[in-house]
């Protein structure tokens, strides 16, 4: 399910710490890792040579510091526009997950500052794990899944169970935010929460996998509440279904809802205080 991971290195941020944290999870140890470093086009031959040598050193440093079986790691050093190159390589290798850093820019900032992660988030149909530059990456012990009635939320739950099925150190938090429910009327007991049809169906699946879990049901604005739950429960990794809403004829055109930050997944990836895995794939 997560057999091929594309690590898109930018030379900054906390993506390397995130990769090391993922290696503590048995499901990730079985995966192959492709480390990509993109050298942007340069005006002069001398500048291009310098950037190429710098990229080679960056890849060598990552291989030295991250303790991964060398047989499971490959590196790609490529020249081009970083935004397009990440998408292209993800398609070429059939990546099951793209791991990237993110500055967490909001709305038009991401467009005006030419954000690579925002562009890839916009155009790829591969799951993405985004690690903001301003968060602290911790050992993964508490994993949260945002639940709703969508097929992408079901896929996010399946990914979480895949990660945790052989990882007894972690706990799964099943979070459901009902926008039609006033916060003061949200259930407080575990029994009441599991009476929620969305939560109950997810809990039944989790029980069959023998994964430790707890439930949280809240009312209010989903984006704000999901970020609050992640903070209140000190979540180390948040999984959120993020559907590809564009028609196939417009795969290369911007989805203005996402670019302007009005979608749930865009809000959470910017405001959550933990790494966010956006679960998506073609046909889901």
């Amino acid at each position: 399910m997560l057999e091929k991971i594309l690590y898109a290195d930018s030379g900054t941020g906390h993506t390397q710490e995130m990769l090391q944290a993922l290696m503590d999870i048995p499901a990730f140890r079985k995966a192959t890792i492709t480390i990509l470093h993109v050298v942007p086009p340069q005006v002069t031959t001398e500048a291009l040579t310098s950037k190429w040598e710098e990229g080679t050193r960056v890849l060598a440093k990552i291989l030295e510091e991250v303790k991964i079986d060398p047989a499971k790691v490959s590196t790609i050093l490529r020249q081009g526009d970083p935004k397009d190159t990440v998408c292209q390589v993800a398609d070429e290798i059939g990546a099951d997950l793209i791991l990237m850093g993110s500055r967490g820019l909001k709305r038009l900032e991401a467009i005006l500052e030419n954000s690579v992660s925002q562009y890839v988030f916009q155009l790829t149909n591969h799951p993405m794990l985004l690690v903001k530059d301003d968060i602290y990456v911790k050992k993964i012990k508490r994993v949260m899944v945002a639940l709703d009635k969508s097929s992408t939320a079901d896929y996010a739950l399946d990914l979480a169970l895949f990660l945790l099925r052989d990882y007894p150190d972690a706990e799964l938090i099943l979070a459901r935010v009902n926008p039609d429910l006033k916060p003061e009327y949200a259930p407080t007991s575990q029994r009441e929460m599991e009476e929620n049809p969305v939560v109950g169906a997810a809990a039944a699946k989790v029980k069959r996998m023998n994964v430790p879990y707890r439930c949280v049901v809240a009312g209010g604005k989903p984006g704000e509440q999901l970020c609050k739950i992640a903070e209140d429960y000190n979540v180390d990794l948040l999984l959120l279904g993020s559907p590809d809403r564009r028609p196939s004829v417009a795969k290369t055109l911007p989805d203005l809802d996402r670019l302007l930050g009005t979608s749930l997944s865009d809000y959470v990836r910017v405001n959550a205080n933990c790494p966010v895995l956006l679960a998506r794939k073609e046909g889901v």
Side-chain angles (χ1 to χ4, degrees):
M1 198 168 191
L2 290 173
E3 298 177 353
K4 299 177 182 178
I5 300 173
L6 175 61
Y7 174 95
D9 171 69
S10 64
T12 61
H14 303 292
T15 47
Q16 186 170 315
E17 290 94 330
M18 190 73 235
L19 182 60
Q20 289 174 319
L22 293 178
M23 290 302 104
D24 289 333
I25 301 177
F28 274 103
R29 294 177 196 154
K30 303 171 185 177
T32 59
I33 315 292
T34 299
I35 302 175
L36 170 67
H37 185 80
V38 183
V39 177
Q42 303 297 317
V43 177
T44 66
T45 302
E46 181 180 346
L48 175 59
T49 300
S50 175
K51 286 292 185 180
W52 202 264
E53 292 174 349
E54 178 186 341
T56 302
R57 290 193 296 271
V58 168
L59 290 177
K61 184 173 182 291
I62 295 172
L63 288 175
E64 180 182 351
E65 294 183 353
V66 180
K67 307 303 180 184
I68 307 175
D69 181 356
K72 294 183 176 294
V73 182
S74 60
T75 61
I76 295 177
L77 182 61
R78 187 170 292 185
Q79 181 184 8
D81 185 318
K83 303 187 300 297
D84 293 323
T85 304
V86 172
C87 292
Q88 291 166 2
V89 173
D91 289 339
E92 288 172 11
I93 69 171
D96 298 312
L97 181 68
I98 301 172
L99 171 58
M100 293 188 69
S102 168
R103 289 175 290 170
L105 298 177
K106 298 180 181 179
R107 299 188 177 185
L108 285 176
E109 290 177 333
I111 305 172
L112 297 176
E113 297 201 21
N114 203 24
S115 168
V116 175
S117 62
Q118 173 68 14
Y119 183 94
V120 176
F121 162 74
Q122 168 66 27
L123 292 182
T124 189
N125 58 14
H126 301 272
M128 291 185 67
L129 175 49
L130 293 173
V131 186
K132 288 196 301 182
D133 293 347
D134 61 350
I135 67 169
Y136 177 69
V137 176
K138 301 170 290 183
K139 181 180 174 64
I140 297 174
K141 294 183 178 180
R142 285 167 294 278
V143 176
M144 173 176 152
V145 177
L147 301 175
D148 58 29
K149 300 176 182 178
S150 69
S151 58
T152 53
D154 292 339
Y155 181 56
L157 177 60
D158 289 341
L159 280 179
L161 291 174
F162 175 81
L163 296 181
L164 301 183
R165 61 183 180 181
D166 298 315
Y167 189 52
D169 295 340
E171 177 187 42
L172 183 59
I173 298 170
L174 303 174
R176 166 66 171 151
V177 178
N178 185 345
D180 298 322
L181 178 68
K182 292 184 178 181
E184 59 267 27
Y185 296 132
T188 56
S189 71
Q190 188 81 2
R191 181 186 62 79
E192 288 177 316
M193 292 178 188
E194 291 195 28
E195 288 177 354
N196 179 287
V198 174
V199 176
K205 183 182 291 187
V206 175
K207 289 176 183 177
R208 292 195 294 270
M209 300 290 291
N210 293 317
V211 173
Y213 76 98
R214 74 174 93 176
C215 303
V216 182
V217 176
K221 295 181 179 179
E224 294 177 5
Q225 289 299 318
L226 288 173
C227 291
K228 183 179 185 300
I229 294 169
E231 184 173 1
D232 290 345
Y233 285 82
N234 198 22
V235 167
D236 304 313
L237 177 63
L238 167 59
L239 282 81
L240 174 70
S242 179
D244 182 354
R245 297 173 302 178
R246 294 161 296 140
S248 59
V249 295
K251 289 294 184 182
T252 60
L253 299 178
D255 178 335
L256 291 179
D257 279 351
R258 286 191 184 148
L259 286 176
L260 295 176
T262 59
S263 73
L264 174 62
S265 50
D266 204 54
Y267 183 94
V268 171
R269 74 163 185 89
V270 169
N271 293 285
N273 67 345
C274 64
V276 177
L277 197 164
L278 298 161
R280 60 162 64 135
K281 66 178 181 178
E282 284 188 301
V284 175

